[in-house]
Structure formats: C-alpha cells, structure tokens
Amino acid sequence: MPMALRCSVLALLSLLGVAGLAQWRLLPPLAMRTGASTDRVLADLAAQEALQDGRARATEALGQFVGGQITRYFWGSFTGYLDVLGLETPEGMEARIREAPDQVQLMLIPRGGDERYVAQVQAEDNVPRGVACSGRGEPAAFRYERDALHCPPGWTALELPARRGAGQRS
C-alpha cells in the first residue's frame, strides 16, 4: 500500500513538472474560479447535493415507516399516524398518509424540487408487504406480483436500509 502511494505522488509531481516546463496554463480549483459558467456549475452541484440529502432522509423515514407498519400489522392493524410509529416528518418535507382497510401509504413531498417519495404497505393473504419508491407526480396503483409489492409504472424502487443489511449477514 505505501509503495502505491509513493508511486502516485511521484506521478503527480512528474505531471506538474512537465506542465511547468511546457508552460501549460493550470486552472485553479472550481470553487476558486469566477464567472457565470462557474456560478451555474456550483449552483447545479448544490442542487444535486440537496436532492441527494433529501433522498437519503426520505429513504430512511420510508424504511422506518415500512418496518413500523409491518410490526403494527402483526399487533392488530396499520396506523395512519406517524407519531404512533415514533416517526417525524423529515425536515423540509410534507407528509401525506392514506389509509385503507388492508393498506397504508406515506407520501413525502419535498418543499423544493419535483421528486416525490412514497411507501406503501399492504396485506396480501394476511402477510404484510411493503415497498418504497421515488418518482414524479402522483403515483398510480402499486402492483402485487410473485409475492412482492412493486412500484407504480414510472417510479423507481428505493433500497431501504433494513433490506440492505439483511442480505449481507456474516
């Protein structure tokens, strides 16, 4: 490992030396540059960072919602209240909950941006199944196929934190 680091440092210093000998113009880091195009790039990067942060917070909340609703189902029924599950609406988002006899849905709508997040838990043959998705607009009906609940067409399934660790047990 130390040998690879030494080789990398030597290669970088060699490139800088060649750049100096050839009198190549080296640009400062992006944050040090000025101008309209740089401002646009920095604004785009800030928007992407905000989107990723919102997606991470929504994914965590939806994962807790799905897990909490599945647990509640085994204790009697789904609930239409986040505080019963010990959850709060993520900062900067609006929460909408819809309940039906054998299903419950949570939609998180960020105050900025047009991406939305939705989780649905429904009981099929007395077995609760849940899925969390991201997309735009209002979600269509969720599909139940092959013992799994699937996102509506045009929506993308989110990888919930609880599911990520389940397949990686040692």
Side-chain angles (χ1 to χ4, degrees):
M1 179 75 180
M3 188 62 171
L5 180 62
R6 288 182 191 152
C7 290
S8 299
V9 170
L10 286 175
L12 179 64
L13 291 174
S14 299
L15 284 173
L16 287 174
V18 169
L21 288 173
Q23 295 182 350
W24 290 338
R25 184 171 169 243
L26 297 177
L27 296 174
L30 186 60
M32 301 290 290
R33 300 179 198 170
T34 58
S37 65
T38 302
D39 293 342
R40 187 176 61 248
V41 169
L42 291 175
D44 289 346
L45 289 174
Q48 286 178 4
E49 183 177 0
L51 177 67
Q52 288 177 346
D53 179 54
R55 187 176 292 150
R57 287 185 289 120
T59 300
E60 181 179 340
L62 293 177
Q64 292 173 348
F65 176 80
V66 168
Q69 291 291 0
I70 289 172
T71 301
R72 286 281 306 179
Y73 181 80
F74 286 119
W75 282 93
S77 65
F78 295 127
T79 181
Y81 301 98
L82 291 179
D83 58 346
V84 171
L85 298 173
L87 300 176
E88 293 182 12
T89 303
E91 185 179 330
M93 295 187 186
E94 174 190 344
R96 293 184 191 162
I97 297 180
R98 271 194 251 162
E99 266 186 293
D102 281 334
Q103 71 181 27
V104 65
Q105 182 183 89
L106 170 64
M107 179 178 284
L108 296 175
I109 304 168
R111 289 191 177 86
D114 57 349
E115 186 170 55
R116 293 180 174 200
Y117 309 97
V118 65
Q120 182 163 313
V121 181
Q122 69 185 47
E124 294 290 334
D125 299 323
N126 288 326
V127 177
R129 310 268 188 212
V131 66
C133 313
S134 66
R136 289 171 173 33
E138 290 294 321
F142 285 72
R143 298 180 337 270
Y144 181 75
E145 297 176 348
R146 298 186 187 126
D147 291 334
L149 193 58
H150 298 278
C151 294
W155 287 64
T156 306
L158 296 172
E159 185 177 349
L160 298 178
R163 291 185 180 175
R164 205 179 300 138
Q168 298 174 350
R169 291 187 183 141
S170 306

